[in-house]
Amino acid sequence: MDYHHGDLRSALVKAARSILEEHGIEKTSLRATAREAGVSEAAPYHHFKDKNALLSAVAADGFRDFTKALASAAASDEGAIEGHRASGVAYVKFATENPHLFRLMFGSARNEMKAPPGCDDDVKQASRDSFSALQTRAAATANKDKPDAEAALMALKDWAVVHGLATLFIDGRIDLAGYGAKDIGDLAARVIQMQR
Amino acid sequence: MDYHHGDLRSALVKAARSILEEHGIEKTSLRATAREAGVSEAAPYHHFKDKNALLSAVAADGFRDFTKALASAAASDEGAIEGHRASGVAYVKFATENPHLFRLMFGSARNEMKAPPGCDDDVKQASRDSFSALQTRAAATANKDKPDAEAALMALKDWAVVHGLATLFIDGRIDLAGYGAKDIGDLAARVIQMQR
DNA sequence: TGTACATCAGTGAACGCGCGTTCACTGATGTAC
DNA sequence: TGTACATCAGTGAACGCGCGTTCACTGATGTAC
């Protein structure tokens, strides 16, 4: 028996994330995670206070990847507007490629209510980082003549569009063929640039 | 003991919906529903094949209410665009007022995979009704000069905006005060009418 | 370099829980005669 | 109108399951001397 694993904590996060993506949130139990990591079912308690703490670590991890994916999409295009749009497409793609993780990150699967304040800080911080980067890019595209309040609403609308597309798509509500789209990235790009 | 309840089936749907809204999806069990309806824990099996069937009935019920709420909002305003916008606000409000129901309706809490084709038809039909009404109203606002494909994308964008707002809000991602909004309906109305 | 020891990260067994589901049953209801 | 009986919607007890969590434990590791 291995009595010292090396880095069980991150191995558990990885294992949980893998179960989550493969089998969904309701199969993602502490026990299954421990088994996946090849460790006894009580071992996770040396690294996580409870199940919620593990799920929060997975969510925080997800947010860090998410932030990176959006930023790198934005950087690969020149021009504030192009970059903003590219990061919108990346938003939808990330959700599509990691649907269960995306739901865990945004949803209510973790019990945030009973967490003492100060706890769960990791997810909170990681998600805040994502959204502030998002808003920064949105702000960079704003018409200079418009008041700040309008720019903020516009940024929210852009966010809602990509979040709505992502959510509807992973919940199976969007029929790509019906829109003549070859994939969700294609459809997202066209929807994002659409104007009345 | 009451051996004949009268209309246990719909009482169970009502009970499940009430537990769902009050305590969330993970507390919504068949047993809890039976207890809430004041009936033995095995009784539901005379009306629903399994837990999924009960949840599907709740979701279908929700979709019917949802469709009504959107239609009546659209009807209370004159003009296609005003009606369309009003139904968008109603969309967000419905989600806000019935967050758990909304998640059940759209989400993956029911196991749709293992349902034999032909089953679950009730939800499918009810949700299709909702979305087709939505698209009809969107189409009515379309610029006549635009090709149909563009109008369809525009309708999808409108849908994504309200669905995104609804989802982000019920998941606690939107700070109303930060936008100077008095409530979510107010904010939704402003976001919906916002243009670049 | 060698040894005693505190610490720390594992183990494995056990707890209690609520759940979905099944079963044989029971009593109320409506219908045929 | 009265009665026999099939049907149907309930009951209550039981099943097995996987889960979160706790516990006393054990053996590996690093450090002080």
Side-chain angles (χ1 to χ4, degrees), chain B residues 3-5 8 31 40 42 46-47:
Chain B
Y3 272 84
H4 287 77
H5 176 282
L8 183 53
R31 294 174 93 117
S40 83
H46 285 276
H47 299 275

Side-chain angles (χ1 to χ4, degrees), chain B residues 20 23 31 39 46 50 52 56 72 82 84 88 91 103 119 123 125 145 150 188-189 194:
Chain B
L20 177 65
H23 302 106
R31 294 174 93 117
V39 106
H46 285 276
D50 55 19
N52 230 4
S56 291
S72 99
E82 289 77 6
H84 183 47
Y91 193 112
R103 273 193 277 258
C119 186
V123 216
Q125 190 53 53
D145 304 341
E150 286 206 17
M194 196 75 208

